[in-house]
Amino acid sequence: MSTIQDFIRLKVAETLGINSEDVNPDEEFMSLGLDSMHAIFLLHEIEKEYDVEINPHSFWEHPTINSFSVNLEKQLAAKS
Amino acid sequence: MQNTASRKQLMESPWKPFLKENILNPYPMYQELREKDPIHKTRTGEWVITQYEDAKAILKEDLFKVGNRAEWLSKASTQHMDKWESFSVIVDALKSFVVFKNPPDHTLLRKFIMQAWNDREVDQIINENIESIFSGIDTTNFDLATELATPLPAMTMTRILGLPMDDYLYLEDLSHKMIRSLDLYLTFRQIEKMEKATKEFIEYFERHATQKLSKPDNSLLSRLIHLYKETHQIPHHELIANCFFLFIAGEETTAGLIELGLYHLIAQKKLNPDLRDSQLRASATEELLRYDSPTQIVVRMASENYELRDRIIKAGDPLTICLGAANRDPNKFEKPDELVLTRNPNHHLAFATGIHRCLGDWLAKKEFEVLTGKLVTRFSSFALLDQPVWKENLNMRSLQSLHVSFK
């Protein structure tokens, strides 16, 4: 499992107040219990961690931890 | 397998406001919704309205309240206090804006503004601003979006409010930051910028309002502050917030109208001497507002249960009303996807309807009509030098750049 994925999974778990292992990385953010408000904070944490600017649309366009991570990896690769 | 795939497709919501292709051209998405599920409930719980009659009924029904975004931000700052440093300034400003207020406060505030803003003699101001812009650009090769459509309304609002002309770029910049508060999806950094811009706006307008108190003139800001002093009908912070709200509202959407309107006229070869006729210019302006509305979406919140045809909208449900979709409804407009400059009647919803109908509609139309009249008198050929670049915002449709040549 990649680091980006781990990081996001951890942050999602923190937000929901559960263990990271209990967060299914293929389940949609929304069905995990995250809403548009959580999205703002989660994306902000990721932006700070990876020093990147994230389009807020990507949270909805890539709505699982796994798909979001893949997309972010691509963005970071393109940047470097 | 094919069966599973098609079933999944059937269940998939056509409402995808986060997809770039839909942001750049929302009309196919609107059409699909209007035809298949015009009162659409999204997975996030809001209703998406795309038919004309539904949109109109909701906008005219007082049990649907405004102020969702301010409520949302305010809820966020209380629920996430630890992370949410303090965004109270932007929340308070949004709550003060006339556009986000409900009756009875709304009625009083709107009346107050209308009472002060009774001077509609703006032709000279607009004409002078256009001349000033033209004197500084090469009209055979320029960016219509940044060099004409954005400065014209900003300069015009600066003059109407009675502020120093040199300040218009500064105010325009603050306005661009604050207008993001209407975006469907926000980022933390955007909210930080909005908060900072709001503080600067307040400081700026407090300072100038004080100056107008000691040196009154005929400007809108002066009239607003003096009306306030005489009547104290509204709180001081609301007065200040609505001064910069008027600037933002008068600037952003009018820039959108000029960009979209001129783009479609040039692209469809309809910017020609026929438009020297003021009557045609007036109906063309209405048609452009319908055809590609600068304000695409407004939101409401149901305060009570409401029956909309066969659906029950519950108290507390948010609604996303797609004005841009209503304005292309074939049940209301014949050949809705065609630009017909002589269309009449043309009861579009570009300025919404009901108690929150845009109060500066006349000014936006006036700026567009005066500008278009001048263009078709002064120039005989209009060409696009490049494809337009759209701003990626579904709520407010406008251009980033549009390179043109006028000869």
Side-chain angles (χ1 to χ4, degrees):
Chain A
M1 199 187 265
S2 75
T3 342
I4 290 180
Q5 222 171 13
D6 288 341
F7 179 79
I8 298 176
R9 199 172 172 194
L10 181 71
K11 288 293 158 192
V12 170
E14 275 177 15
T15 307
L16 299 169
I18 56 175
N19 287 329
S20 177
E21 302 83 71
D22 296 331
V23 176
N24 177 358
D26 285 314
E27 194 172 338
E28 292 201 6
F29 291 129
M30 234 171 52
S31 52
L32 285 170
L34 297 183
D35 62 20
S36 55
M37 243 180 256
H38 295 123
I40 291 184
F41 296 112
L42 182 66
L43 296 186
H44 186 53
E45 300 261 12
I46 301 169
E47 284 186 329
K48 281 192 294 182
E49 181 74 16
Y50 294 99
D51 188 28
V52 62
E53 219 166 299
I54 297 172
N55 185 330
H57 298 150
S58 61
F59 181 84
W60 306 94
E61 202 177 344
H62 310 284
T64 68
I65 293 175
N66 278 342
S67 61
F68 188 90
S69 306
V70 170
N71 186 61
L72 181 59
E73 265 163 26
K74 273 188 212 154
Q75 194 186 332
L76 290 172
K79 201 178 119 189
S80 64
Chain B
M1 285 307 278
Q2 204 186 353
N3 204 5
T4 324
S6 62
R7 200 176 307 143
K8 197 183 167 209
Q9 244 169 8
L10 270 179
M11 282 168 63
E12 218 170 78
S13 162
W15 173 246
K16 288 199 182 75
F18 45 80
L19 282 191
K20 195 169 167 179
E21 61 191 81
N22 290 338
I23 295 172
L24 298 182
N25 176 15
Y27 297 107
M29 171 176 75
Y30 288 157
Q31 187 183 350
E32 193 182 347
L33 281 160
R34 214 172 36 226
E35 286 170 2
K36 290 185 189 158
D37 196 15
I39 308 171
H40 177 70
K41 180 108 185 210
T42 70
R43 286 181 58 209
T44 38
E46 83 261 22
W47 297 93
V48 178
I49 307 297
T50 44
Q51 283 190 2
Y52 181 92
E53 290 302 335
D54 293 337
K56 189 175 157 193
I58 290 165
L59 292 169
K60 285 202 178 270
E61 173 54 67
D62 289 347
L63 72 82
F64 294 107
K65 306 291 183 192
V66 292
N68 303 21
R69 186 38 72 97
E71 280 299 320
W72 182 87
L73 269 175
S74 157
K75 214 166 98 191
S77 45
T78 43
Q79 281 180 6
H80 298 261
M81 268 304 216
D82 49 333
K83 294 178 192 166
W84 203 276
E85 284 119 47
S86 171
F87 292 139
S88 57
V89 178
I90 176 82
V91 170
D92 283 346
L94 292 178
K95 282 185 175 169
S96 301
F97 287 175
V98 64
V99 71
F100 297 136
K101 271 202 175 294
N102 293 301
D105 291 4
H106 171 264
T107 324
L108 187 71
L109 179 55
R110 185 164 169 131
K111 216 176 111 197
F112 180 90
I113 295 171
M114 298 304 279
Q115 210 178 323
W117 199 1
N118 52 13
D119 180 6
R120 296 195 168 192
E121 296 300 319
V122 291
D123 286 52
Q124 203 192 331
I125 294 180
I126 298 170
N127 271 309
E128 285 171 14
N129 288 339
I130 295 172
E131 289 307 326
S132 154
I133 290 171
F134 277 160
S135 70
I137 57 174
D138 170 11
T139 55
T140 63
N141 184 351
F142 74 107
D143 180 0
L144 188 147
T146 57
E147 294 180 84
L148 175 60
T150 316
L152 179 59
M155 290 164 80
T156 303
M157 277 319 289
T158 304
R159 281 279 297 273
I160 288 175
L161 283 162
L163 301 165
M165 260 329 252
D166 288 345
D167 292 351
Y168 89 86
L169 281 172
Y170 170 70
L171 296 169
E172 193 186 287
D173 177 57
L174 294 183
S175 176
H176 290 327
K177 286 175 181 145
M178 271 214 72
I179 199 75
R180 303 302 297 267
S181 57
L182 297 178
D183 284 13
L184 283 183
Y185 306 104
L186 287 170
T187 68
F188 195 85
R189 282 182 190 148
Q190 279 167 357
I191 305 173
E192 279 179 332
K193 280 186 195 160
M194 276 154 46
E195 176 83 358
K196 191 164 168 284
T198 314
K199 284 179 185 160
E200 286 188 44
F201 253 141
I202 293 173
E203 196 271 328
Y204 180 92
F205 275 91
E206 292 270 15
R207 186 154 40 91
H208 285 277
T210 313
Q211 283 172 12
K212 299 283 183 202
L213 269 182
S214 54
K215 272 192 197 161
D217 55 30
N218 204 25
S219 69
L220 177 57
L221 179 58
S222 182
R223 276 184 270 171
L224 283 165
I225 187 78
H226 284 277
L227 182 62
Y228 165 78
K229 198 182 145 197
E230 287 155 27
T231 63
H232 281 96
Q233 277 171 337
I234 57 169
H236 184 74
H237 73 274
E238 281 188 13
L239 168 80
I240 297 297
N242 281 287
C243 290
F244 61 83
F245 165 73
L246 289 176
F247 183 90
I248 300 167
E251 201 250 318
E252 297 289 341
T253 47
T254 311
L257 168 61
I258 297 172
E259 286 154 12
L260 304 178
L262 290 180
Y263 165 62
H264 291 303
L265 284 178
I266 299 170
Q268 301 192 25
K269 309 240 178 298
K270 288 179 173 164
L271 192 58
N272 59 41
D274 291 352
L275 285 169
R276 287 182 194 157
D277 175 51
S278 62
Q279 228 173 332
L280 178 65
R281 224 158 50 230
S283 79
T285 306
E286 298 294 347
E287 174 65 351
L288 288 158
L289 282 159
R290 180 200 69 81
Y291 180 74
D292 208 0
S293 313
T295 304
Q296 287 278 312
I297 286 172
V298 293
V299 295
R300 294 288 187 269
M301 178 86 78
S303 63
E304 293 165 36
N305 287 358
Y306 181 84
E307 227 170 291
L308 183 61
R309 294 194 272 143
D310 58 337
R311 313 295 289 267
I312 306 282
I313 295 168
K314 293 219 171 73
D317 284 355
L319 295 98
T320 297
I321 301 146
C322 303
L323 304 177
N327 286 340
R328 296 272 190 119
D329 186 342
N331 286 328
K332 179 67 187 177
F333 302 100
E334 211 176 299
K335 296 185 183 160
D337 296 325
E338 276 178 38
L339 181 66
V340 184
L341 299 187
T342 52
R343 192 183 291 273
N344 183 32
N346 194 345
H347 300 296
H348 62 76
L349 297 176
F351 295 113
T353 184
I355 61 167
H356 288 283
R357 190 180 196 282
C358 172
L359 57 80
D361 59 340
W362 60 274
L363 178 60
K365 290 193 270 195
K366 179 72 101 180
E367 287 179 67
F368 187 77
E369 285 170 33
V370 171
L371 174 62
T372 312
K374 233 180 209 317
L375 292 179
V376 293
T377 311
R378 183 176 301 194
F379 304 101
S380 54
S381 99
F382 304 91
L384 301 176
L385 298 178
D386 217 336
Q387 287 300 309
V389 179
W390 296 87
K391 278 192 192 162
E392 289 180 33
N393 187 337
L394 184 65
N395 284 22
M396 307 278 288
R397 209 161 147 71
S398 61
L399 297 178
Q400 188 85 45
S401 70
L402 181 68
H403 290 281
V404 294
S405 172
F406 295 173
K407 283 177 188 161

